[in-house]
Amino acid sequence: MRRAVRVASALVGAAYLAGCASLGINDALNSTNTSASQFTGGNLELSRTEEQQKARAGLSQELLSKPLAQDDAVRLALANSPTMQALVAQGWADIAAANQAGRMPNPVFTFERFRLGDELEIGRLLSFGLADLLLLPKRVSIAESLAAQAQVQLTGAVVDQITQVRQVWVRAVAAQQSLKYAEQVKESAEASAELARRMQAVGNFSRLQRARQQVFYADATTQLASARHATTAAREELTRALGLTDVQAAQLKLPERLPDLPRAPREASQVASAAGEQRLDIQQAKAQLEVAGRSQGINLLSTFVDVEAGYRHDTVFDNAGGGSATRRGWEFDIQLPLFDWGTARRDALNAQALAAANRYDAAVRGATSQLRENYSAYRTAYDIARHYRDEIVPLRQSMAEENVLRYNGMLIGAFELLAEARDQIASVTSAINAQQQFWLADASLKAAVIGRPMAGMTSVSSSSPASTLSAGAAH
């Protein structure tokens, strides 16, 4: 009886020890809202009740009732996107699976009943893995590392999704803004083509001169069609990122233009100081290294031997004599390494531990390099956008005003004035593209600081659809 009590006490203690290792989804959400507060604003949650769903629907309706700013787009995605909810639910599943790794397998109760002549034998066996019980503290420690790894993965997935929302919003607003200027170019080209037709009709224009204006009008019409499709595609991409229904998509309103550039760019020293060991990529590689190291010791033992322990309590009834006898004892089932000595499994464990160590080393070495690359893209995009804002666009505006004066003084004709207007519009379109590249790089830099350098990486380019229009206007 004392042995049974000791066995039961050991099993209860094991169950308690395993239960202490649990990390809940609420703990993971609080950690994500704290470590990535600049992304979630503390609003990340998993909706599991009808009240939460109604609150999310109300917030979504409120945000859609006005032009959607970038920060509001992030709030809307957190509240409305089923993709975001799926990420959180998957994180919950991963954390639960990690917690399961710290649980000891349930004991097995075996009941046997045998009859031989006048004898009836009833056997009862309670067995469990002895190695599992002895190594339970290490299993709990591994489960904690796995849960921490799952939590970091959840935070990284949320950061990726929010970065995507920010960049998609930028592209949608920029496409809408560029469409307006494409429409102005088309109207200018249409007026130029009509004027050329009339002048040829009265003999003041050659066929070649009119053909040049007509070709530009045809190109402008094509560019306008492309701009309309780009606007639709960007808007639908934003609709998917926000998880909008058809009714909500019809309610979506965007600002007329992108936000102004900040007065000054972020300094490289500020960006470097914000990054460090708290980076998600380094945390994830470190968690993988800890799991590999702790698992190696446990799994190496199982490659040599596996022991099952059991407590037996048998009762034998003698029907002829009317008596009974009881047998008690222990059983041990030991796996004998006769055919498989576990060398291949040990090689795999050593290789996994070595790979995890090198991945951690690579993450640490590459972190600062990736951050410098993202900052270079950010700073270059800022300088280009500011150059367009402060130099090119004002110069084009000044040239346009001067050409209006020259046209009023009959020093230039209507075609020269229209060509200058088209060049000015093309410069504004290029400025919009440069501003778009800056805000894309800004979102990418924010992700790189927290340790998601591949989230929304963007290249810096000053080219834009307006280049084709500018080339046509030069004729």
Side-chain angles (χ1 to χ4, degrees):
M1 191 64 184
R2 293 178 180 177
R3 294 178 180 177
V5 171
R6 286 197 295 266
V7 171
S9 301
L11 294 177
V12 170
Y16 175 77
L17 184 60
C20 292
S22 298
L23 172 69
I25 183 60
N26 292 331
D27 299 327
L29 291 175
N30 292 335
S31 178
T32 298
N33 283 323
T34 300
S35 61
S37 58
Q38 65 271 37
F39 288 85
T40 67
N43 297 319
L44 181 65
E45 66 174 12
L46 178 61
S47 296
R48 288 175 282 179
T49 65
E50 185 177 355
E51 289 76 12
Q52 289 177 317
Q53 294 174 357
K54 288 182 179 179
R56 289 174 52 206
L59 178 59
S60 300
Q61 191 64 32
E62 178 185 350
L63 294 173
L64 288 171
S65 64
K66 58 184 179 180
L68 194 67
Q70 189 182 52
D71 291 340
D72 289 339
V74 172
R75 292 178 61 199
L76 181 58
L78 290 170
N80 188 76
S81 173
T83 301
M84 189 71 70
Q85 290 295 302
L87 288 177
V88 178
Q90 183 59 49
W92 186 11
D94 294 339
I95 291 173
N99 291 333
Q100 183 62 38
R103 303 291 195 270
M104 182 175 174
N106 290 323
V108 178
F109 176 74
T110 304
F111 181 82
E112 300 173 338
R113 185 178 186 277
F114 302 99
R115 179 178 291 276
L116 179 61
D118 293 332
E119 288 187 353
L120 174 65
E121 180 177 348
I122 296 178
R124 293 168 290 269
L125 173 66
L126 182 66
S127 61
F128 57 92
L130 182 59
D132 293 333
L133 180 61
L134 296 176
L135 298 175
L136 183 59
K138 288 187 174 294
R139 290 169 62 93
V140 172
S141 178
I142 293 174
E144 292 175 349
S145 298
L146 289 173
Q149 181 179 337
Q151 193 278 319
V152 173
Q153 290 175 346
L154 172 60
T155 303
V158 171
V159 169
D160 288 346
Q161 187 69 19
I162 293 177
T163 301
Q164 180 184 357
V165 170
R166 285 175 172 172
Q167 294 189 327
V168 169
W169 180 90
V170 169
R171 285 191 286 266
V173 175
Q176 176 181 275
Q177 192 174 353
S178 297
L179 176 60
K180 296 180 180 179
Y181 289 97
E183 291 173 346
Q184 295 181 23
V185 171
K186 189 259 184 183
E187 293 174 358
S188 174
E190 185 178 10
S192 179
E194 177 62 19
L195 181 59
R197 184 189 66 80
R198 295 182 180 182
M199 293 187 68
Q200 184 192 18
V202 298
N204 291 334
F205 235 41
S206 67
R207 292 181 60 187
L208 178 60
Q209 289 173 311
R210 180 193 172 185
R212 285 175 176 170
Q213 299 301 322
Q214 189 66 31
V215 165
F216 178 68
Y217 171 60
D219 288 342
T221 303
T222 303
Q223 292 292 333
L224 177 59
S226 298
R228 284 174 176 166
H229 170 69
T231 302
T232 300
R235 184 182 178 90
E236 294 302 327
E237 187 180 6
L238 179 60
T239 297
R240 294 190 295 272
L242 298 177
L244 303 181
T245 63
D246 291 343
V247 175
Q248 291 175 326
Q251 298 173 345
L252 176 63
K253 295 183 291 291
L254 295 176
E256 295 183 355
R257 56 191 301 273
L258 290 170
D260 294 331
L261 295 176
R263 293 184 178 180
R266 300 177 64 180
E267 295 295 334
S269 57
Q270 297 176 348
V271 173
S273 62
E277 285 296 327
Q278 73 273 17
R279 286 175 56 102
L280 296 178
D281 52 353
I282 295 180
Q283 288 186 27
Q284 186 169 353
K286 184 177 181 180
Q288 292 174 349
L289 178 59
E290 290 179 353
V291 170
R294 294 175 179 177
S295 300
Q296 191 177 21
I298 293 179
N299 293 329
L300 278 176
L301 177 61
S302 65
T303 61
F304 290 102
V305 66
D306 188 14
V307 181
E308 291 285 333
Y311 176 74
R312 177 171 290 279
H313 180 90
D314 296 340
T315 303
V316 180
F317 297 92
D318 186 359
N319 293 332
S324 64
T326 301
R327 294 181 303 192
R328 299 181 181 87
W330 292 92
E331 283 190 3
F332 290 95
D333 297 331
I334 302 177
Q335 184 181 32
L336 300 178
L338 297 180
F339 307 109
D340 181 8
W341 288 87
T343 54
R345 284 184 289 171
R346 287 191 291 274
D347 289 343
L349 291 172
N350 293 332
Q352 291 172 0
L354 184 60
N358 281 281
R359 279 194 295 266
Y360 175 74
D361 194 15
V364 173
R365 295 184 183 186
T368 55
S369 174
Q370 292 165 343
L371 192 61
R372 287 194 299 267
E373 179 184 355
N374 279 268
Y375 183 79
S376 175
Y378 165 83
R379 187 55 190 266
T380 302
Y382 179 84
D383 292 340
I384 292 175
R386 185 177 61 180
H387 183 68
Y388 268 99
R389 182 195 64 185
D390 298 342
E391 298 291 337
I392 297 179
V393 173
L395 285 175
R396 282 293 186 184
Q397 179 65 27
S398 177
M399 292 170 62
E401 294 173 354
E402 183 65 24
N403 276 315
V404 170
L405 296 176
R406 295 178 66 196
Y407 175 76
N408 292 334
M410 303 183 68
L411 299 177
I412 61 174
F415 290 103
E416 289 81 1
L417 184 64
L418 289 172
E420 180 60 38
R422 290 193 293 265
D423 286 342
Q424 182 186 6
I425 294 172
S427 296
V428 173
T429 305
S430 296
I432 294 172
N433 181 68
Q435 195 175 7
Q436 171 186 261
Q437 292 298 320
F438 165 75
W439 287 113
L440 292 176
D442 179 73
S444 180
L445 180 63
K446 290 178 180 177
V449 168
I450 200 172
R452 302 297 292 182
M454 299 308 295
M457 290 273 300
T458 182
S459 59
V460 179
S461 174
S462 60
S463 62
S464 72
S467 60
T468 304
L469 301 178
S470 299
H475 290 287

